[in-house]
């Protein structure tokens, strides 16, 4: 059903002077003004439901009390007005004149359709779609239920495309990007609309399917795009290329988007693109150019609004942090803190839809990052008030993650300045918060499971509804061909087929859910066991290390004790930071080992020398390893092998490439050997089973079960007489 669309422009003038004064403002390029848009049918009845008006990325769906849509734009901005029942209207602004759009039916023989298109009494489709859009960001179940009802109606090609795009938009808002991609594809297959293809590419990017996203953006770039759509496509391509580290192509696309944004004065995009181009230069190591662009983006953001300014300051401060410019970072974050406090006191009505962005500019996070910057500067006393304020605000706002991190940092700071009592008190609070957070995470996992099941059930119903409609059409066709078949026979056959089909589906679903539940239960048990083992390893390691400090104190070696304690605090900080991780980069584990062996060598200089050899052909960044995996073996080599040797021994740690997928790590000592070490242990030592070794074996077993045999360990004697010990560990990518 085709429709003619007429656009009438009329200016409401009180007198000639007002018109002249208004024209001087409106026609000045770059000045934003308001435009009133009215959409009516043949009978001059206003159409207000399911109207979607877009301009420079801003969308307007709700009219005012008089049924007019009030939008803001500038000269040469392009407005698009769309509706499921007529072709999209495009209009380029030249002034602030009111716009009236009249929808007329072009087919004289189907005048009744004019009533059906916009009447609630005879056609509920538009009402259902409007309700689905209304609940889209509030209640996903209600929104999906209205989409189901809309799909039950007989639909035109354009309506079907609009319905599936609305469904995809709902999933996109709730971060179900796989379902969003599926429905955007379906909508685009029904009717090729550029905006749908762009949203598909964005959903694919958020799924981290970067190559597919690039392909979709490139395909839509060949179509006739509007200016803002061209900005979206080039920016999206830049984001995807940046994600796969193709920085030159990312920069090229960002520059193309920036040129269009500057030409059309799309200020928010100019700010964003300056910032993203700065990210590219920073990633390529061109820090000076990146800094210049970040400053430019800061200036632009300051001219927009408080929210944009805060977000950009946050990003630039992170850039300073990554380049060790802590003074600049602290200065900028203090400005952000002042703005955030002002905004808070003024009870600002500023709204930021993206929850991640809103969370990033809370006062507790800003205070935490300022404190962290002071710590990195080793200005611990200056860090304390900011960390305490962060902890207080986080507790008040129930932000347990920031409260946990701030408490942990406070514990480290107090330890560094020698206030052991407060350090211990903060550490106990940190442990309690970790346990609370773990419980909340468990509850959150359960909520996500229930949410995912609800979405899956709704999507299955929608898919089944569409298949049922297709199946019904097939049955009607079949009925005309097979008229001689009795109605009773057909009914019985359908019941039998449906019963078998339903039974098979139920069996498959039952088997799937049983398998998934067992797998999830096993994973949860493994994660709990790993957490328990890590909590055992840290006190065990701390206990052994503190014994070393005690040995220096026992002989009144204050200088070595102080030095040892200082280096030990650095080691402990790294150990605690990695304590919640299943795997850490191999490079980080090597750094920890070098520091640990150095500490032990300082104590037992007359007992052993050591070498750490790393094959330079290994790409260490490609390998990860469970934290504190190698340390117990090295500790055993020193304390139970080399320490009891009469002459000076040797410890060798080597990391060699076995093949492209595997590295071999060897820990070899020429100590007294395992058998002799066992013989000279005291009775008390024999009663106490080694916590470190037993725990590490259990950790390896669980991790190998979860990650498919990534780590193998073999312990052998070096010499036939039992002297020396060799630990061989193989680590896969």
């Amino acid at each position: 059903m085709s429709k003619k669309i007429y656009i009438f422009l009329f200016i409401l003038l009180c007198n000639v002077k007002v018109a002249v004064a208004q024209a001087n403002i409106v026609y000045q390029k770059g000045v934003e003004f308001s435009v009133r848009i009215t959409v009516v049918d043949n009978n001059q009845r206003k159409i207000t439901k399911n109207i979607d008006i877009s301009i420079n990325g801003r969308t307007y769906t709700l009219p005012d009390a008089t049924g007019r849509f009030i939008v803001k734009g500038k000269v040469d901005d392009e407005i698009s007005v769309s509706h499921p029942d007529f072709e999209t209207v495009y209009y380029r602004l030249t002034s602030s004149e009111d716009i009236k759009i009249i929808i007329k039916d072009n087919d004289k023989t189907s005048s009744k359709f004019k009533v059906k298109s916009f009447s609630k009494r005879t056609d509920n489709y538009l009402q259902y779609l409007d309700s689905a859009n209304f609940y889209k960001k509030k209640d996903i179940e209600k929104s999906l239920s209205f989409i189901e009802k809309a799909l039950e109606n007989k639909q035109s090609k354009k309506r079907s495309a609009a319905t599936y795009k609305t469904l995809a938009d709902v999933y996109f808002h709730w971060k179900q990007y796989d379902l969003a991609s599926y429905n955007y594809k379906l909508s685009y297959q029904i009717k090729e609309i550029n905006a749908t293809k762009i949203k598909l590419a964005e959903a694919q990017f958020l799924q981290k399917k970067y190559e597919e996203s690039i392909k979709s953006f490139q395909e839509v770039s060949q179509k006739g795009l509007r200016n803002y759509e061209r900005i979206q496509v080039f920016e999206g391509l830049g984001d995807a290329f940046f994600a796969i580290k193709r920085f030159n192509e990312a920069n090229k696309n960002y520059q193309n988007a920036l040129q269009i944004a500057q030409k059309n004065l799309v200020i928010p995009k100019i700010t964003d693109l300056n910032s993203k181009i700065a990210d590219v230069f920073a990633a390529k190591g061109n820090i000076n150019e990146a800094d210049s662009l970040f400053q430019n983006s800061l200036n632009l953001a300051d001219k927009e609004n408080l929210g944009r300014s805060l977000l950009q300051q946050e990003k630039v401060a992170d850039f300073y942090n990554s380049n060790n410019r802590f003074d600049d970072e602290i200065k900028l974050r203090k400005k952000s803190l002042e703005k955030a406090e002002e905004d808070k006191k003024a009870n600002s009505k500023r709204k930021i839809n993206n929850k991640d962005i809103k969370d990033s500019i809370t006062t507790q996070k800003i205070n935490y990052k300022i404190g962290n910057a002071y710590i990195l500067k080793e200005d611990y006393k200056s860090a304390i008030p900011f960390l305490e304020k962060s902890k207080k605000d986080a507790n008040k706002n129930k932000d347990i993650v920031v409260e946990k991190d701030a408490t942990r940092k406070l514990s480290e700071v107090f330890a560094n300045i020698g206030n052991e009592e407060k350090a211990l008190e903060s550490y106990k609070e940190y442990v309690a918060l970790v346990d609370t957070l773990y419980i909340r995470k468990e509850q959150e996992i359960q909520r996500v499971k229930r949410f995912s099941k609800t979405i899956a059930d709704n999507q299955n119903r929608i898919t089944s509804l569409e298949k049922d409609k297709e199946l019904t059409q097939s049955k009607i066709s079949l009925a005309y061909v097979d008229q001689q078949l009795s109605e009773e026979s057909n009914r019985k056959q359908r019941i039998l087929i449906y019963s078998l089909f339903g039974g098979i589906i139920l069996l498959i679903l039952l088997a799937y859910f049983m398998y998934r539940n067992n797998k999830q239960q096993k994973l949860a048990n493994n994660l709990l066991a790993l957490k328990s083992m890590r909590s055992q390893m840290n006190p065990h390691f701390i206990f052994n290390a503190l014994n070393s400090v005690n040995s220096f104190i026992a002989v009144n070696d204050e200088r070595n004790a102080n030095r040892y304690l200082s280096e030990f605090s650095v080691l402990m900080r790294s150990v605690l930071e990695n304590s919640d991780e299943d795997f850490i980069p191999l490079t980080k584990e090597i750094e920890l080992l070098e520091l640990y062996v150095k500490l032990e060598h300082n104590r037992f200089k007359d007992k052993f020398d050591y070498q750490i050899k790393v094959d330079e052909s290994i790409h260490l960044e490609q390998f990860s390893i469970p934290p504190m995996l190698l340390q117990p073996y090295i500790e055993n080599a020193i304390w139970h092998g080399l320490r009891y040797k009469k002459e000076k021994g040797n410890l060798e740690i080597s990391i060699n490439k076995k093949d492209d997928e595997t590295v071999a790590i060897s820990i070899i000592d020429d100590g007294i050997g395992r058998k002799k070490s066992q013989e000279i242990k005291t009775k008390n030592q024999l009663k106490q089973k080694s916590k470190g070794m037993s725990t590490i074996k259990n950790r390896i077993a669980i991790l190998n079960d979860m990650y498919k045999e990534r780590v193998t360990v073999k312990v052998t004697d070096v010499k036939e007489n039992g002297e020396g010990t060799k630990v061989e560990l193989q680590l896969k990518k």
Side-chain angles (χ1 to χ4, degrees):
M1 190 68 63
S2 59
K3 294 179 183 295
K4 285 185 178 177
I5 302 168
Y6 299 88
I7 303 178
F8 295 91
L9 307 179
F10 55 91
I11 307 176
L12 304 177
L13 305 177
C14 296
N15 53 61
V16 177
K17 291 182 180 180
V18 173
V20 172
Q22 185 183 32
N24 289 336
I25 297 174
V26 170
Y27 289 101
Q28 183 180 349
K29 193 173 177 70
V31 176
E32 198 173 59
F33 50 84
S34 295
V35 178
R36 294 172 177 81
I37 300 175
T38 307
V39 184
V40 299
D41 65 7
N42 245 4
N43 299 318
Q44 295 297 310
R45 289 178 299 182
K46 292 180 180 178
I47 306 169
T48 59
K49 301 290 186 182
N50 293 294
I51 295 292
D52 192 339
I53 301 176
S54 297
I55 178 169
N56 285 337
R58 289 180 289 188
T59 303
Y60 301 84
T61 56
L62 297 175
D64 63 10
T66 64
R68 296 178 301 181
F69 295 84
I70 302 176
V71 305
K72 290 187 177 182
K74 305 182 294 295
V75 171
D76 289 337
D77 281 350
E78 194 170 60
I79 295 178
S80 69
V81 183
S82 60
H83 186 277
D85 282 334
F86 60 78
E87 293 299 322
T88 301
V89 177
Y90 296 99
Y91 179 73
R92 191 176 295 278
L93 289 179
T94 57
S95 69
S96 61
E97 298 169 331
D98 290 354
I99 299 173
K100 187 175 185 180
I101 301 175
I102 300 178
I103 310 300
K104 286 192 175 183
D105 197 330
N106 194 38
D107 191 343
K108 302 296 183 183
T109 63
S110 57
S111 59
K112 61 179 182 179
F113 187 77
K114 289 184 288 185
V115 178
K116 291 180 69 177
S117 296
F118 308 108
S119 172
K120 293 181 181 178
R121 291 171 295 177
T122 57
D123 186 3
N124 292 325
Y125 167 77
L126 295 176
Q127 182 180 356
Y128 293 145
L129 202 63
D130 182 66
S131 298
N133 279 311
F134 178 79
Y135 287 107
K136 178 170 68 178
K137 298 179 180 180
K138 300 178 180 179
D139 189 331
I140 186 171
E141 290 190 59
K142 283 188 177 180
S143 183
L144 293 178
S145 69
F146 283 112
I147 290 173
E148 285 182 48
K149 292 178 181 179
L151 286 170
E152 290 173 358
N153 287 38
K154 185 177 180 180
Q155 297 182 338
S156 65
K157 188 176 180 181
K158 182 169 176 57
R159 279 190 173 189
S160 293
T163 304
Y164 284 113
K165 183 180 182 299
T166 301
L167 177 59
D169 289 339
V170 172
Y171 285 135
F172 190 95
H173 174 76
W174 292 94
K175 299 182 180 180
Q176 304 299 307
Y177 301 121
D178 54 338
L179 294 175
S181 295
Y182 171 81
N183 287 285
Y184 281 132
K185 285 180 183 177
L186 192 57
S187 175
Y188 191 76
Q189 288 169 1
I190 296 171
K191 188 171 182 62
E192 294 187 359
I193 299 174
N194 292 336
T196 304
K197 189 74 170 182
I198 291 171
K199 291 294 290 184
L200 169 61
E202 291 174 356
Q204 290 169 333
F205 174 82
L206 292 169
Q207 284 180 272
K208 297 185 179 180
K209 295 182 178 180
Y210 302 122
E211 296 295 341
E212 291 182 22
S213 178
I214 290 170
K215 183 179 178 182
S216 296
F217 275 126
Q218 289 175 337
E219 287 174 357
V220 77
S221 68
Q222 307 301 318
K223 312 280 185 180
L225 297 175
R226 310 294 163 183
N227 286 330
Y228 192 83
E229 289 175 339
R230 290 171 64 204
I231 295 172
Q232 287 179 298
V233 169
F234 283 124
E235 185 180 15
L237 283 169
D239 291 340
F241 282 124
F242 185 86
I244 58 177
K245 299 183 179 180
R246 290 163 62 176
F247 300 123
N248 289 334
E249 290 166 275
N251 184 50
K252 179 181 177 182
N253 283 283
Y254 285 146
Q255 293 288 357
N256 289 337
L258 182 59
Q259 288 178 8
I260 301 169
Q262 288 174 332
K263 183 178 179 181
N264 294 277
L265 297 175
V266 186
I267 304 301
K269 286 298 179 185
I270 295 174
T271 305
D272 290 341
L273 290 163
N274 269 283
S275 183
K276 289 183 177 182
I277 294 169
D279 285 337
V280 173
F281 281 110
K284 293 171 69 175
N286 194 338
I287 303 303
N288 291 333
E289 189 69 24
D291 187 46
S292 176
L293 287 163
F294 274 128
Q295 291 300 325
N296 192 29
S297 66
L298 278 176
N299 295 333
L300 290 168
D302 285 339
K303 295 176 182 178
E304 291 187 54
N305 55 60
L306 182 59
R308 293 282 297 177
S309 179
L310 282 170
L311 292 172
Q312 197 57 38
Q313 284 179 353
E314 174 79 6
K315 187 171 184 179
V316 177
D318 288 342
F319 166 74
Y320 289 151
N321 178 277
S322 64
N323 287 279
N324 298 328
R325 295 169 57 181
F326 304 123
D327 288 330
D328 291 336
E329 178 194 359
I330 291 168
K331 182 178 179 182
L332 187 56
R333 289 199 194 280
K334 285 182 177 179
K335 288 183 180 178
S336 298
L337 188 60
E338 290 175 2
K339 289 184 178 181
E341 292 288 353
E342 289 173 10
D343 186 50
K344 189 176 179 181
K345 290 178 181 178
N347 295 318
S348 172
K349 296 181 180 180
R350 173 177 50 86
K351 294 181 180 178
I352 302 175
N353 293 327
N354 190 320
K355 185 178 183 297
D356 294 333
I357 293 176
K358 187 176 180 181
D359 286 346
S360 70
I361 55 174
T362 57
T363 55
Q364 61 262 29
K365 282 199 173 183
I366 298 174
N367 275 304
Y368 172 80
K369 291 184 177 181
I370 294 173
N372 187 59
Y374 276 119
I375 291 172
L376 294 172
K377 282 183 61 183
E378 298 185 354
D379 186 355
Y380 302 114
K381 291 185 178 179
S382 297
I384 292 174
F386 290 98
L387 293 173
E388 289 178 338
K389 185 66 168 62
S390 171
K391 179 182 172 183
K392 181 180 178 182
D393 287 351
N395 180 269
K396 182 179 179 181
N397 296 315
K398 296 181 180 180
D399 189 348
I400 192 169
V401 174
V402 174
E403 186 180 4
K404 170 188 72 84
D405 293 338
T407 305
R408 178 172 61 85
K409 289 290 184 183
L410 276 170
S411 176
E412 295 173 7
V413 169
F414 286 132
N416 278 316
I417 64 176
N419 193 335
E420 298 297 331
E421 182 180 351
K422 284 193 174 182
L424 180 59
E425 180 183 346
S426 296
Y427 184 78
K428 288 179 179 178
E429 291 178 10
Y430 164 73
V431 171
L433 287 168
V434 168
D435 290 338
T436 304
L437 185 61
Y438 181 81
I439 293 170
R440 289 194 183 180
K441 288 290 183 184
E442 288 285 337
Q443 294 171 344
E444 186 177 340
I445 289 170
Q446 295 302 319
R447 284 196 298 271
V448 169
K449 286 180 183 177
R450 291 193 295 271
F451 181 73
S452 298
K453 186 178 184 303
T454 300
I455 290 177
D457 290 343
N458 280 287
Q459 177 63 25
N460 288 337
R461 285 200 299 272
I462 291 170
T463 304
S464 299
L465 181 63
E466 189 62 20
K467 289 182 178 178
D468 287 344
K469 289 171 67 178
E470 295 174 3
L471 187 60
T472 302
Q473 294 298 324
S474 299
K475 287 177 183 176
I476 293 171
S477 300
L478 188 62
Y480 286 108
V481 176
D482 302 322
Q483 293 179 4
Q484 296 179 355
L485 295 176
S486 67
E487 185 176 335
E488 184 64 22
S489 177
N490 284 336
R491 187 181 68 83
K492 290 181 178 180
Q493 287 180 10
R494 286 196 300 271
I495 291 173
L496 179 62
I497 291 171
Y498 291 155
S499 299
L500 290 173
F501 185 70
I504 292 170
I505 293 282
L506 286 173
L507 287 173
I508 292 173
L509 286 174
L510 181 61
Y512 168 74
F513 284 121
M514 288 178 65
Y515 168 77
R516 191 179 69 173
N517 287 338
N518 289 335
K519 189 174 181 180
Q520 289 174 343
Q521 185 62 46
K522 184 178 179 181
L523 177 61
N525 291 339
N526 284 341
L527 290 173
L528 189 60
L530 284 174
K531 181 187 175 185
S532 175
M533 291 174 190
R534 285 195 295 265
S535 68
Q536 292 174 23
M537 286 298 297
N538 287 341
H540 172 78
F541 169 67
I542 294 169
F543 175 79
N544 288 340
L546 289 177
N547 274 339
S548 296
V549 179
N550 187 52
S551 67
F552 285 122
I553 296 172
V555 295
N556 292 322
D557 191 350
E558 183 180 348
R559 181 177 180 183
N560 280 329
N562 287 336
R563 186 187 64 197
Y564 188 100
L565 191 58
S566 176
E567 292 176 345
F568 168 69
S569 66
V570 175
L571 178 60
M572 274 308 304
R573 183 182 304 158
S574 300
V575 170
L576 289 174
E577 286 176 349
N578 300 327
S579 62
D580 288 335
E581 303 293 333
D582 290 339
F583 285 86
I584 62 172
L586 182 56
T587 52
K588 188 174 287 187
E589 180 73 358
I590 293 172
E591 292 173 2
L592 291 176
L593 290 181
E594 289 176 342
L595 185 54
Y596 173 73
V597 176
K598 180 182 176 183
L599 285 171
E600 293 293 16
H601 184 254
N602 285 340
R603 182 180 175 188
F604 300 114
K605 286 183 179 179
D606 59 334
K607 287 294 183 180
F608 74 98
D609 289 323
Y610 71 94
Q611 302 88 37
I612 299 178
K613 302 176 182 178
V614 181
D615 187 349
E616 294 182 356
S617 65
I618 301 175
H619 298 289
L620 294 176
E621 66 276 4
Q622 297 179 356
F623 292 85
S624 58
I625 187 170
M628 298 291 289
L629 182 68
L630 301 175
Q631 184 271 338
Y633 294 111
I634 297 172
E635 180 179 334
N636 274 1
I638 297 171
W639 283 74
H640 302 298
L642 296 168
R643 187 164 65 116
Y644 294 110
K645 192 174 181 181
K646 293 180 179 179
E647 62 273 21
K648 194 171 187 179
N650 187 62
L651 173 66
E652 180 180 322
I653 303 168
S654 59
I655 301 174
N656 299 303
K657 181 178 180 181
K658 186 175 181 182
D659 54 51
D660 290 338
E661 298 295 322
T662 311
V663 295
I665 303 173
S666 299
I667 301 170
I668 304 172
D669 70 82
D670 58 358
I672 62 174
R674 293 178 293 168
K675 183 177 180 181
K676 193 170 182 181
S677 174
Q678 188 71 14
E679 291 174 355
I680 65 176
K681 276 188 176 181
T682 66
K683 290 182 180 181
N684 184 54
Q685 287 174 324
L686 289 171
K687 289 179 183 178
Q688 297 178 354
K689 197 173 181 179
S690 173
K691 290 286 185 182
M693 297 309 298
S694 62
T695 301
I696 214 70
K697 288 178 182 178
N698 291 334
R699 283 182 67 198
I700 290 172
I702 291 174
L703 289 168
N704 281 339
D705 181 56
M706 292 172 66
Y707 299 102
K708 309 301 181 187
E709 296 295 327
R710 284 192 59 185
V711 181
T712 58
V713 179
K714 181 181 179 183
V715 182
T716 58
D717 296 329
V718 175
K719 298 179 181 180
E720 293 182 357
N721 61 2
E723 292 183 358
T725 305
K726 180 178 181 180
V727 179
E728 294 176 293
L729 183 143
Q730 292 187 6
L731 181 68
K732 294 183 180 179
K733 282 186 181 178

